[in-house]
Amino acid sequence: MSSARVVYIAPWWTFWLHNFPHINLRFQPVDHVFKPEEENYQQSLIFLLCVAAAGLGLTLLLLALYLSCLCCCRKDPSEESKRPQTCCVTWAAVIAGLIICSSVGVGFYGNSETNDGVYQLTYSLYNANHTLRGVDSVVTGILGNMQHDLKQRLDRLDEIFSTHKDYVKTLRYMQTMANSIIQQLNGLPDVNRAKLDLASLADQTAAMEYYRWLTYLLLLILDLVICLVTCLGLAKQSRWLLTTIMVFGVLTLVLSWASLGAVTAAAVGISDFCVSPDKYVMNRTKGRISSDVVHYYLYCQSLPNPFQQSMTLYQRSLTTMQIQVQGLLQFAVPLFPAAERDLLGIQHLLNLSESNLHQLTALLECRSLHKDYLDALIGVCYDGVEGLLYLCLFSLLAACAFCTMLCAIPRAWKHIINKDRDYDDIDEEDPFNPQARRISVHNPTRANVHSFYSFSSSLGSQNSLQLPPPTTTSAPTSEYMNQSVLFGGNPRYENVPLIGRGSPPPSYSPSMRATYLSMTEGQSRHFGTDFQV
């Protein structure tokens, strides 16, 4: 056995958490010693949950005030600047998305670390339980052999050797040695009396850890889905998606604060244990197991083995009994052949007991249980508490991110409504509005509506219009006629007065320009001829 103990040193974060204020529900300070069975200590952990609940209530109140101000304090649309609002919403969404992605990464790491720590704890508990159950099984087997099998064989030999007092005296001495072995074994720690059902504790811990790990996994996936759907809703400017995200965002905000309170309380409680675990184990086993035995397994230093004397007496008693049986086989069997069978049975039983003695000595040695104890502490206090701290950071970041998201989504909603209102304010009958052109193409019934530039609406009917004589030109007029159909609905010469004044139409194509130039050229020739005449 190594003379030096592998020293357990509590990590710094457990001391930091251990120094958190411990206050019960009556706002009275509580001792920081880990005492989960006391009501005041339980209330000090519940107080941390209440602090998280108060933070949630304050956050929801601030969000409600912000949304109320956003709905009530409306600015004049002419004074609003769309570009800064859009930039603010975009940057807020980007920041919230980055924070959520970072928090989810931190949450996955913390969830994995906590799971690893709890797995190491349960593995150590199972190993320690296997060792203790092995000790109990070996002791029970030896006691059964000594109290039943050995006693029955000695009683039969006592009847056989009843006529020989020396042999009967030897049998009595062997019974005394057997009683001494039974007494030494009864002095060993009784696992059942100590109520150390480590396997049941490990099963309960593993079941709780599974549901905790699954719950956080679902929460992390929910955060990612909400982040992705929010990006999709902002990109597509979908109001129903943003409404759904608002509902789920509030739900996730509540879950984040609840997670923060629960994980903080668990981290503080476990840290109180990790700062002085030996003291808690000593108090827990007080009155059930000898303090010398508990110190031997907790520290495993160069302390005297508390079982050394018992094992020595056990070995001496077995050796004495084996010598006595060997002498009876040598001297008594020739006189009492019927005793050979029982003597050989006793010899086999003593050899089996000696083998059990070596096994029991190895099981009672401190290195195995002490290693399991240190592994459990390292799993809980290092990986476990560290993972809980990362989960606290995840919950805090997620709460901040969803607060930012819940503040940005109403502004995005308002921006979408204003954008739709701006589209509705555009004059659909404006012939130079691209949207009106698309509407007229997709809605042919609107083609019968007369345009603003209709000659019949300004100067009377088309019959009163005296058209100028047609000019001979080779330019195609089909495209211009199509433009007239598009604007007015009928192929009329609506812009004839403009042509007569020498003014081109407001919008014309290259073919229309050629038509206009040819008409202007013809009029110039006509005026020139009249002048010459």
Side-chain angles (χ1 to χ4, degrees):
M1 179 184 70
S2 177
S3 60
R5 178 202 182 200
V6 180
V7 180
Y8 162 76
I9 300 176
W12 64 266
W13 52 80
T14 58
F15 289 99
W16 178 65
L17 291 170
H18 177 67
N19 292 327
F20 268 35
H22 290 60
I23 303 173
N24 60 13
L25 299 180
R26 294 183 296 274
F27 298 98
Q28 297 174 350
V30 179
D31 191 7
H32 293 204
V33 179
F34 182 69
K35 296 178 181 179
E37 64 278 357
E38 292 188 1
E39 183 180 359
N40 284 332
Y41 186 81
Q42 295 173 1
Q43 290 182 3
S44 67
L45 299 181
I46 297 175
F47 181 80
L48 297 175
L49 292 174
C50 296
V51 171
L56 172 62
L58 181 61
T59 303
L60 294 178
L61 179 60
L62 293 177
L63 284 175
L65 292 176
Y66 171 78
L67 295 178
S68 300
C69 293
L70 187 64
C71 294
C72 297
C73 303
R74 296 187 178 182
K75 297 181 181 179
D76 188 6
S78 60
E79 298 178 358
E80 291 182 350
S81 178
K82 299 177 184 178
R83 191 182 190 101
Q85 284 188 0
T86 307
C87 291
C88 289
V89 172
T90 303
W91 279 108
V94 170
I95 292 173
L98 291 177
I99 294 176
I100 290 176
C101 292
S102 302
S103 65
V104 168
V106 172
F108 271 111
Y109 179 77
N111 199 30
S112 176
E113 283 292 302
T114 305
N115 187 65
D116 291 342
V118 176
Y119 174 78
Q120 189 171 351
L121 169 65
T122 55
Y123 183 78
S124 300
L125 289 176
Y126 283 126
N127 284 342
N129 182 77
H130 178 72
T131 301
L132 295 177
R133 293 303 171 188
V135 172
D136 185 67
S137 176
V138 172
V139 170
T140 303
I142 296 174
L143 289 176
N145 293 333
M146 293 294 174
Q147 292 175 346
H148 297 90
D149 294 346
L150 181 62
K151 188 175 182 304
Q152 291 178 0
R153 294 183 182 278
L154 290 177
D155 291 341
R156 285 198 295 266
L157 289 175
D158 187 59
E159 294 178 0
I160 296 174
F161 298 150
S162 60
T163 58
H164 200 291
K165 294 182 180 181
D166 293 336
Y167 295 157
V168 172
K169 187 178 179 179
T170 302
L171 295 178
R172 296 287 185 272
Y173 184 71
M174 292 177 61
Q175 183 65 51
T176 302
M177 294 294 102
N179 292 335
S180 176
I181 292 175
I182 294 173
Q183 182 180 0
Q184 299 302 323
L185 293 178
N186 287 329
L188 296 178
D190 189 358
V191 178
N192 296 324
R193 186 181 61 186
K195 297 180 181 178
L196 294 176
D197 192 2
L198 299 181
S200 177
L201 179 61
D203 292 337
Q204 295 176 5
T205 304
M208 294 174 60
E209 169 59 19
Y210 171 76
Y211 289 111
R212 186 211 61 81
W213 174 83
L214 183 61
T215 301
Y216 267 96
L217 183 63
L218 294 177
L219 182 59
L220 292 168
I221 294 175
L222 178 63
D223 288 354
L224 276 181
V225 170
I226 290 177
C227 181
L228 294 177
V229 175
T230 302
C231 295
L232 180 62
L234 292 175
K236 297 182 68 64
Q237 297 184 355
S238 174
R239 284 182 284 184
W240 71 270
L241 276 179
L242 295 180
T243 304
T244 306
I245 291 305
M246 283 286 291
V247 176
F248 281 97
V250 173
L251 175 62
T252 311
L253 182 63
V254 174
L255 293 177
S256 298
W257 276 104
S259 167
L260 179 61
V263 173
T264 303
V268 170
I270 296 174
S271 297
D272 292 338
F273 167 77
C274 293
V275 168
S276 56
D278 299 340
K279 183 177 180 181
Y280 174 75
V281 174
M282 289 292 296
N283 293 332
R284 188 69 177 175
T285 57
K286 187 176 181 180
R288 299 174 181 176
I289 302 177
S290 174
S291 59
D292 296 336
V293 175
V294 177
H295 275 92
Y296 175 66
Y297 287 112
L298 290 181
Y299 299 101
C300 198
Q301 293 179 351
S302 56
L303 296 175
N305 189 339
F307 310 110
Q308 186 65 43
Q309 185 178 1
S310 298
M311 296 298 102
T312 302
L313 293 176
Y314 183 3
Q315 180 66 52
R316 289 175 182 176
S317 299
L318 277 179
T319 303
T320 302
M321 293 175 67
Q322 289 174 342
I323 294 173
Q324 297 297 328
V325 171
Q326 189 67 30
L328 290 175
L329 286 173
Q330 184 177 1
F331 299 105
V333 170
L335 299 176
F336 303 95
E340 183 179 8
R341 179 180 177 183
D342 289 325
L343 288 174
L344 290 176
I346 292 175
Q347 187 180 37
H348 175 73
L349 188 148
L350 294 176
N351 292 334
L352 181 62
S353 298
E354 186 176 7
S355 176
N356 291 334
L357 171 63
H358 296 304
Q359 184 180 0
L360 182 61
T361 303
L363 290 173
L364 291 175
E365 213 275 327
C366 69
R367 283 181 294 181
S368 177
L369 286 176
H370 180 67
K371 180 180 181 301
D372 295 333
Y373 175 67
L374 290 181
D375 290 343
L377 287 180
I378 292 174
V380 172
C381 302
Y382 279 82
D383 294 339
V385 179
E386 183 184 5
L388 291 178
L389 287 176
Y390 279 109
L391 290 179
C392 289
L393 180 60
F394 152 72
S395 300
L396 189 60
L397 290 177
C400 295
F402 281 106
C403 285
T404 306
M405 184 180 296
L406 292 175
C407 291
I409 287 178
R411 286 193 172 273
W413 176 282
K414 189 175 181 180
H415 174 71
I416 294 172
I417 293 177
N418 292 335
K419 188 175 180 181
D420 294 341
R421 187 184 297 117
D422 293 339
Y423 276 121
D424 293 338
D425 291 340
I426 297 176
D427 187 7
E428 296 180 357
E429 296 185 2
D430 185 3
F432 303 105
N433 180 18
Q435 185 179 7
R437 296 181 185 180
R438 291 193 296 269
I439 294 175
S440 63
V441 172
H442 294 290
N443 192 4
T445 59
R446 299 182 57 89
N448 296 328
V449 180
H450 297 290
S451 68
F452 179 77
Y453 297 99
S454 176
F455 184 76
S456 61
S457 62
S458 59
L459 297 179
S461 63
Q462 295 180 6
N463 296 329
S464 63
L465 177 63
Q466 296 180 359
L467 299 176
T471 58
T472 305
T473 178
S474 60
T477 60
S478 58
E479 186 172 356
Y480 173 73
M481 298 297 289
N482 291 334
Q483 294 283 342
S484 177
V485 171
L486 179 62
F487 293 155
N490 292 320
R492 298 183 307 223
Y493 296 93
E494 295 177 341
N495 52 354
V496 171
L498 297 177
I499 298 175
R501 290 186 309 207
S503 299
S507 176
Y508 51 90
S509 62
S511 60
M512 294 170 64
R513 181 182 297 178
T515 304
Y516 168 73
L517 292 176
S518 62
M519 292 174 64
T520 306
E521 211 176 306
Q523 289 179 2
S524 299
R525 277 200 224 99
H526 177 68
F527 293 148
T529 305
D530 291 341
F531 179 76
Q532 290 176 3
V533 175

